[in-house]
Amino acid sequence: MAGANIELKLVGQWASVFVTRVKLALHLKGLNYESIEEDLRNKSELLLSSNPVHKAVPVLIHNGKPICESQIIVEYIDETFAGIGPSFLPADPYERAVARFWAAYIEEKLVAPWDRVFRAKTNEERDEATRKMFAAVDVLEGGFKECSKGKGFFGGDNIGYVDIILGGAISYAKAAEALSGAKLFDAAKTPLLAAWMERFSELDAAKTVLQDVDRVVEHGKMLIAKNAAQPSTTD
């Protein structure tokens, strides 16, 4: 991989979709980096000093300087290493704004309720989060059509910013079917996104970075059981 003289460290945690986004960006750029696995139950001094505001992963440390928040990190990688590998964001300002819009949509309307599915304390909470998640996928099908212009990825012919943001969650999308029996990206309902997921999964970077689905399923079961055992704050 490129970047032999560049010092890059990624403080992360294997199950995090946000960390996976950054790993995808680094691999797509062909950059060498040191991966530092964080124990979020016993946060290291490195994490606390690198991200004192949120105390969360991922943190990318580039030549001693920390960059936080996955979307910001992916943009930082794209800008800082513009001469290496593919560009993630379009050159055109309008198309760049559209990509950022859909990335923000994925974060707010898909990933946030997705997280609540695993962390819900009641079946009612889980059902509501699931409903919102599937509604977001229906809208995102139209977003893919707009961004891809009939080609294979949100970025067109090549992987782009939105592909990376959504691609980090593919293992969880596949695990969701095993956990609930419902396909998040169903070829009958969202054929464009279903085809996109299969296409993305075949990329070398995806095969290298994406979590093992069986491990994600077990992690999901553990989260669901843990949160179900806790009393609801709404009681």
Side-chain angles (χ1 to χ4, degrees):
M1 298 178 84
N5 298 319
I6 300 167
E7 183 184 285
L8 288 168
K9 297 179 181 180
L10 176 60
V11 183
Q13 196 264 349
W14 76 268
S16 169
V17 299
F18 308 106
V19 173
T20 304
R21 293 170 178 173
V22 179
K23 288 182 177 180
L24 285 168
L26 290 166
H27 277 265
L28 287 165
K29 285 284 188 180
L31 296 167
N32 291 315
Y33 66 97
E34 177 186 353
S35 181
I36 301 172
E37 184 72 9
E38 183 68 29
D39 181 358
L40 298 179
R41 295 167 297 182
N42 183 26
K43 296 179 181 180
S44 68
E45 181 57 34
L46 176 62
L47 175 61
L48 297 176
S49 61
S50 299
N51 189 358
V53 176
H54 297 300
K55 303 178 178 63
V57 295
V59 177
L60 181 70
I61 302 174
H62 178 207
N63 292 336
K65 296 179 180 179
I67 306 96
C68 306
E69 301 295 319
S70 63
Q71 291 192 35
I72 293 171
I73 296 172
V74 171
E75 290 201 37
Y76 178 86
I77 292 169
D78 195 32
E79 293 174 2
T80 304
F81 304 103
I84 301 175
S87 295
F88 303 147
L89 280 162
D92 179 78
Y94 175 76
E95 292 182 359
R96 202 158 58 239
V98 170
R100 286 175 172 143
F101 170 85
W102 285 111
Y105 182 87
I106 290 167
E107 199 85 322
E108 178 184 355
K109 301 297 185 181
L110 182 58
V111 174
W114 205 336
D115 184 63
R116 288 194 289 273
V117 168
F118 289 99
R119 300 184 187 279
K121 293 180 174 61
T122 66
N123 289 334
E124 290 76 13
E125 290 177 6
R126 184 171 296 107
D127 290 345
E128 177 62 14
T130 300
R131 184 191 65 77
K132 291 181 177 179
M133 186 172 63
F134 276 91
V137 171
D138 289 341
V139 175
L140 191 59
E141 178 84 351
F144 180 84
K145 186 175 182 180
E146 176 186 0
C147 294
S148 68
K149 299 179 176 63
K151 298 176 181 177
F153 297 100
F154 281 93
D157 286 322
N158 302 308
I159 297 296
Y161 181 61
V162 184
D163 295 287
I164 294 169
I165 299 304
L166 184 59
I170 280 180
S171 291
Y172 279 84
K174 294 180 178 180
E177 182 177 0
L179 288 167
S180 68
K183 286 186 178 182
L184 191 62
F185 301 141
D186 189 343
K189 298 177 181 177
T190 54
L192 298 179
L193 286 175
W196 168 86
M197 184 173 72
E198 295 308 315
R199 196 177 299 116
F200 192 99
S201 299
E202 291 303 311
L203 296 170
D204 289 341
K207 290 178 179 179
T208 301
V209 167
L210 293 181
Q211 301 97 327
D212 176 74
V213 175
D214 290 339
R215 189 180 182 191
V216 173
V217 169
E218 292 307 310
H219 180 68
K221 288 179 179 177
M222 180 271 293
L223 285 176
I224 290 170
K226 177 182 176 182
N227 286 283
Q230 295 177 1
S232 175
T233 56
T234 59
D235 291 346

